[in-house]
């Protein structure tokens, strides 16, 4: 979540909908079954995870019960919000302990996009950190 706080992320997770801008570079790579980590830029922490139920939807109603303007995004399933976040700094230290991976180090200051592709290993490390391992 590039703009907004943990409360906004919570509202998206609760609604099982995530807004994804049409300008996002990796939006067309999103597919049902993909695993996603929820990152809040303001607090620099991962605060949850979800499985995608859909690919990128160019016109997704913001609320299925209320007519109105449409937004783009994905529908989520199996959403889990974490009571304790995983700080980005700790995740980066565990993912790239030697500081030698230029891609990881380029994102160590925070993600520059709303959709960032990561490896399954990077996802697993954040999930282990969430579990306190």
């Amino acid at each position: 979540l590039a703009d907004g706080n943990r409360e906004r992320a919570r509202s998206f997770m609760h609604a099982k909908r995530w807004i994804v801008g049409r300008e996002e570079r990796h939006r067309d790579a999103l597919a049902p079954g993909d695993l996603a980590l929820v990152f809040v830029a303001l607090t620099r922490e991962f605060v949850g995870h979800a499985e995608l139920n859909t690919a990128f939807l160019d016109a997704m109603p913001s609320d299925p019960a209320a007519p109105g303007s449409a937004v783009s995004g994905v529908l989520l399933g199996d959403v889990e919000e974490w009571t304790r976040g995983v700080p980005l700094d700790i995740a980066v230290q565990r993912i790239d302990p030697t500081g030698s991976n230029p891609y990881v180090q380029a994102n160590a200051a925070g993600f520059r996009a709303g959709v960032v592709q990561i490896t399954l290993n990077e996802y697993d490390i954040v999930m282990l950190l969430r579990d306190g391992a």
Side-chain angles (χ1 to χ4, degrees):
L1 183 62
D3 60 346
N5 57 21
R6 192 170 179 150
E7 214 32 62
R8 185 164 188 222
R10 178 179 290 128
S11 71
F12 288 158
M13 287 188 283
H14 186 269
K16 293 192 172 190
R17 299 167 169 277
W18 199 270
I19 295 173
V20 176
R22 290 175 180 93
E23 73 286 349
E24 285 292 340
R25 189 173 113 193
H26 297 294
R27 73 182 182 281
D28 293 330
L30 299 170
D34 282 355
L35 301 175
L37 293 171
V38 177
F39 178 78
V40 177
L42 185 64
T43 57
R44 296 177 41 82
E45 65 181 337
F46 297 95
V47 298
H49 72 103
E51 183 176 330
L52 301 189
N53 278 350
T54 67
F56 174 77
L57 301 170
D58 192 37
M60 176 183 71
S62 57
D63 181 346
S69 62
V71 295
S72 58
V74 293
L75 299 180
L76 306 175
D78 296 324
V79 176
E80 181 181 354
E81 178 188 351
W82 304 336
T83 54
R84 234 185 23 198
V86 174
L88 178 62
D89 296 344
I90 292 172
V92 167
Q93 286 174 343
R94 182 70 67 89
I95 291 167
D96 186 23
T98 63
S100 60
N101 183 325
Y103 179 75
V104 173
Q105 295 306 312
N107 287 296
F111 302 106
R112 293 173 191 86
V115 177
V116 178
Q117 292 179 317
I118 62 172
T119 67
L120 183 56
N121 184 55
E122 292 165 343
Y123 177 88
D124 288 342
I125 287 172
V126 173
M127 294 299 289
L128 284 171
L129 288 168
R130 181 246 4 218
D131 293 335

